[in-house]
Amino acid sequence: MLARFIYSHPRYFFLLVICVVAVGLNSYQSIPRQEKPSITNMSGTVTVFFPGASPRRVEALVTRPLEDELRQIPEIDQVQS
């Protein structure tokens, strides 16, 4: 029934489309924005699988070199293992 009405009166259809576009543009322009948004509580986890290796070997071959490289990045505040 609605489709027949819109088909027989195309002016109402175009008016409806124009209203939807106008409301969408108005809503998009009123969204608050920040130039540099603050990001808090950033954390990451690294999991290493080394089958058959002892914990000391994993620490010597993987953990310590990885920690040393991560500590060189100025944005990283804390490294735990």
Side-chain angles (χ1 to χ4, degrees):
M1 180 146 194
L2 181 64
R4 286 185 187 166
F5 180 77
I6 290 176
Y7 183 72
S8 62
H9 299 94
R11 290 181 185 172
Y12 291 126
F13 174 71
F14 289 118
L15 179 64
L16 179 67
V17 169
I18 289 172
C19 289
V20 168
V21 169
V23 168
L25 288 174
N26 187 25
S27 298
Y28 181 74
Q29 290 177 349
S30 66
I31 294 174
R33 294 176 189 84
Q34 291 181 352
E35 184 174 324
K36 289 186 175 182
S38 59
I39 300 173
T40 58
N41 295 334
M42 291 180 36
S43 65
T45 302
V46 177
T47 305
V48 178
F49 296 100
F50 199 158
S54 67
R56 285 185 183 187
R57 183 172 173 138
V58 172
E59 184 178 0
L61 295 176
V62 179
T63 305
R64 287 200 182 171
L66 184 61
E67 284 181 353
D68 293 340
E69 291 295 323
L70 289 174
R71 283 193 178 102
Q72 293 177 4
I73 300 173
E75 288 86 12
I76 296 179
D77 296 329
Q78 182 180 9
V79 177
Q80 283 182 319
S81 62

